[in-house]
Amino acid sequence: MLRDKLRRPVAMIILLIMVLVLPLSAGEYIPTNRDTLVDPEPMEFVSRQPEDFSLLYETERFKFYFRDDRDVLAVYDKRNGYTWKTGLDIPFSRDIDNAIDEAVEKGETPNYIPKEDRLNTTYTGIANSLITVEYYDQTYNIKRTSSAPHGKEASKLMKFTDDHYRLDISFADILLDLKVHIYFDDHGVRYEIRDEEIQGEDVGIMTAVLISPFLGSSGGVKVHWNEEEQEYNILVPNEIIPGYVFVPDGSGALIRFKDNSSMLRPYTGDVYGRDYSQSTYYYDNDQGYVPFKNPAMPVFGIAHGQDQNAFVAYAVKGGEYMEIVVMPEENVTHYTWAYPRFVYNTVYHQVYNRRGDGYFTAMEDRNHFDVEIRYDFLQGDGSDGSPSADYVGMAIDYRGFLADSKVIADKKQKEDQIPIRLDFVMSDVKNSIFGYEDVIVTTAAQAKDILLDIYDAGINRISSGLLGFQKGGITTGKPWKVSWSREIGKKNDFVDLITTAKEKGIDVSFSQDYTVINEVQMILPSNAAKHINGWLNEYWHSRFTSFPIEKMSYARPKKSAEWLVKQTDIFKKLGVSSFTIDGITNKLLSDYSRQGNTVTEAISMYQNLFRELNNGYKINAYAPNQYLWSYVDRFLNTPVFSTQYIIETDNVPFLQMVLSGSMELYAPYSNFSFYTDKDCLRMIDFNVYPSFLLSHESSHYLAPTNSANFYSTEYNLYKELIQKIYSMVNSALSQVADTKWINREVLENGIVLNTYENGVQILINYTDNPFRYRDEEVKALSYSVFK
């Protein structure tokens, strides 16, 4: 390949420069994909309205055009003259060849138009088309067909009103009809695919729908005509657009457009996490590495240039069936392209005996749901009051949509201190001669003493969750009732703890996972969710073979909801002010039991339940998905990193910017390797509050339990660290707790400047060198607040 041939000598030169120069620049901050890099370079473009397109609609900001023969929608931004196209808008190579042959036969000079390398007929159709459908062939391999295939008229654009069109598609390769409603407004474009309008004999083999997969793509290689050799063989790479794809992986990640010397794996984000009941197999294993992070919200975006042009796309309906896919350059094509993928069917392993024998098959009844997705187009640096054309502007735009939809609301605090989260691990079980035995590391009285000790030291805004508060501990305690233990604490002991804490303004709650269950807790066949193949879902802890409970299952969503109601009714009588909920908040499952549910039905059920619980009580939720944000007061275990796939180049606090001012955000537990100076600076940078998981006794007692991963929790070890971290983070974030976060800039590698609506700026220096800003020197590995 030409790119590879060009890269090899360049790579050798770069390596030589690094060897010679790096020793001279010792101390220079070298960023990784855990950091945010400086902005992309400015992009040069010529303002030109689309040619060979028909004007459909015009607003104050945009003109919307359509090219019928290629199904390409063009959005011309009148504010700066930039044009977005939903496809590459390129001719088929086959048509170029036919035109050349025809010219030669006529004795005319052919027009040797450059071709696209590594875009065959199918992929040229996909690269142009507004809609691509994936479907299964007879061996369950995935094939693709587009709304603008070569040589066939598969689609027709219908006008309903000035701002409402519909693209009617009859796909050429399969018997499938699809109607796509297109709405235009002064923010961008909105698409709707209504479930009842998907028809045809082959609807059962439709796998997924891809919307405008090449919108905003970068890269590509042109093949030019070689006059001497009389063939197409001159490869010329397109100029890489300075910019990136944003994906909601963890806190947020950027995938910069760049030349890839090797084929990287695509990024695929399963919005709201995997539905285990529709996985390929009914069982899964702990793979021995840190779990991948899943998008908690159905949003992604692409930016071109330095605060010049961008779009942010987000699902209004159908997010529970959405995947976000980024195909890097040199993987299939020479382009980097990103798109939403809405999943209608999947292949799974149908087991027919206890030995595990089976065969692969597709779902008989596909997923049924409506798709509604918006594309908002952004431009500029935000100085005109509109969202800027970068990931910050994407976050602000999406935050505005969520606020207008009443998914989030401003909840400004008036206290002069930030809050802290102090959870307690109280007990779990280990194997014993006669079954299982409770291992107790914190009693109710000890938890009370620790909280009062921290309060007396000057930290007043405390919320706390109790894990393993009953017989059976964290792993085998019943999620629908409470079995008090004299050793952990009787009912009155917990009432005393809650009452005493409440007198000091400390909120103590009981923490429970209502989704992950096991056969020691209950009879699984009547409580566990069924996989589509009819077997109960299983999850095995193969990494920790010493776990007393190795096999886990997932509860039926209806059972989870039932248990939550029963147990919180008990908690209410004890005088709690809040509930701490896990499992339901971040695991979304369908259930193929006789009276099961879809994931859409599970969302509706959980929303109704949380709405009731939130009436008069606060909800503390572990890593909740977006559909529950309306009812969440405290977001626990907020991710501060992405999964850090190789394809990802930057880590950004997109999630935190979206939720800024709407709820309290708590960092991962600091006592689990999140306590260094850089980690504290990241809390300040990402606007998250400290949290700790504590115990009275040493955590080594938990080694033979399923809580062995809580490897360091003893309060005496962290007493001073709690004060140190809280003091550092509080002195910064207490000054911006009652205002909105409006901008984040990387001034240079390792130097971040956050700006807030009240005029406060916080500069974070991650580097080992001092940095000067506004006539003040900010020391290495520190921060400064500017008013």
Side-chain angles (χ1 to χ4, degrees), residues 143-387:
K143 303 291 185 181
R144 288 174 171 172
T145 182
S146 65
S147 58
H150 180 263
K152 301 171 185 176
E153 187 175 334
S155 63
K156 183 177 181 180
L157 189 67
M158 310 280 290
K159 181 177 180 179
F160 284 78
T161 63
D162 287 347
D163 61 352
H164 176 199
Y165 287 75
R166 191 181 75 193
L167 187 67
D168 293 353
I169 309 168
S170 294
F171 291 95
D173 299 316
I174 56 174
L175 300 174
L176 179 69
D177 296 333
L178 201 68
K179 301 183 190 306
V180 182
H181 295 261
I182 307 171
Y183 298 87
F184 304 116
D185 58 39
D186 213 29
H187 295 283
V189 185
R190 176 168 60 91
Y191 302 107
E192 287 185 11
I193 300 175
R194 299 168 186 172
D195 188 67
E196 68 272 12
E197 293 181 341
I198 302 174
Q199 299 175 346
E201 293 182 18
D202 288 336
V203 70
I205 64 172
M206 178 181 68
T207 307
V209 171
L210 286 52
I211 298 178
S212 59
F214 276 77
L215 172 64
S217 61
S218 172
V221 174
K222 291 286 192 299
V223 187
H224 290 255
W225 176 258
N226 188 325
E227 187 63 34
E228 293 183 2
E229 300 181 12
Q230 289 293 294
E231 65 175 335
Y232 279 96
N233 62 11
I234 300 175
L235 301 178
V236 180
N238 295 337
E239 186 175 344
I240 299 295
I241 296 174
Y244 51 77
V245 181
F246 155 73
V247 293
D249 179 24
S251 60
L254 306 183
I255 299 171
R256 303 237 174 183
F257 296 134
K258 60 181 181 178
D259 287 332
N260 292 318
S261 58
S262 59
M263 188 173 71
L264 299 177
R265 295 186 63 180
Y267 167 82
T268 301
D270 197 340
V271 174
Y272 303 147
R274 181 153 52 114
D275 177 4
Y276 293 98
S277 297
Q278 287 190 3
S279 295
T280 305
Y281 300 96
Y282 71 91
Y283 53 86
D284 197 8
N285 296 290
D286 187 333
Q287 299 297 322
Y289 44 71
V290 176
F292 296 152
K293 295 176 174 64
N294 296 306
M297 47 192 163
V299 58
F300 74 102
I302 290 179
H304 285 179
Q306 185 183 104
D307 293 334
Q308 291 172 283
N309 301 284
F311 72 79
V312 57
Y314 48 88
V316 180
K317 295 180 182 177
E320 62 270 31
Y321 293 102
M322 176 180 169
E323 294 178 351
I324 298 166
V325 182
V326 182
M327 299 292 294
E329 181 184 311
E330 306 306 338
N331 190 310
V332 181
T333 76
H334 291 299
Y335 286 89
T336 297
W337 42 302
Y339 55 91
R341 181 177 185 266
F342 292 93
V343 180
Y344 287 88
N345 206 332
T346 186
V347 166
Y348 64 93
H349 189 242
Q350 180 61 60
V351 177
Y352 55 75
N353 62 26
R354 292 187 176 276
R355 192 171 60 184
D357 297 327
Y359 56 90
F360 292 98
T361 186
M363 297 162 53
E364 289 185 11
D365 185 23
R366 66 173 178 84
N367 295 322
H368 292 272
F369 59 97
D370 294 332
V371 171
E372 183 179 346
I373 186 169
R374 279 204 58 91
Y375 286 75
D376 292 348
F377 294 91
L378 317 175
Q379 69 84 38
D381 60 5
S383 57
D384 61 355
S386 64

Side-chain angles (χ1 to χ4, degrees), residues 21 82 135 142 262 372 433 503 572 582 624 648 706 723:
V21 174
Y82 195 68
Y135 63 95
I142 290 181
S262 59
E372 183 179 346
I433 298 175
E503 290 172 355
K572 290 176 184 178
D582 196 1
E648 295 172 342
N706 278 56
Q723 297 293 331

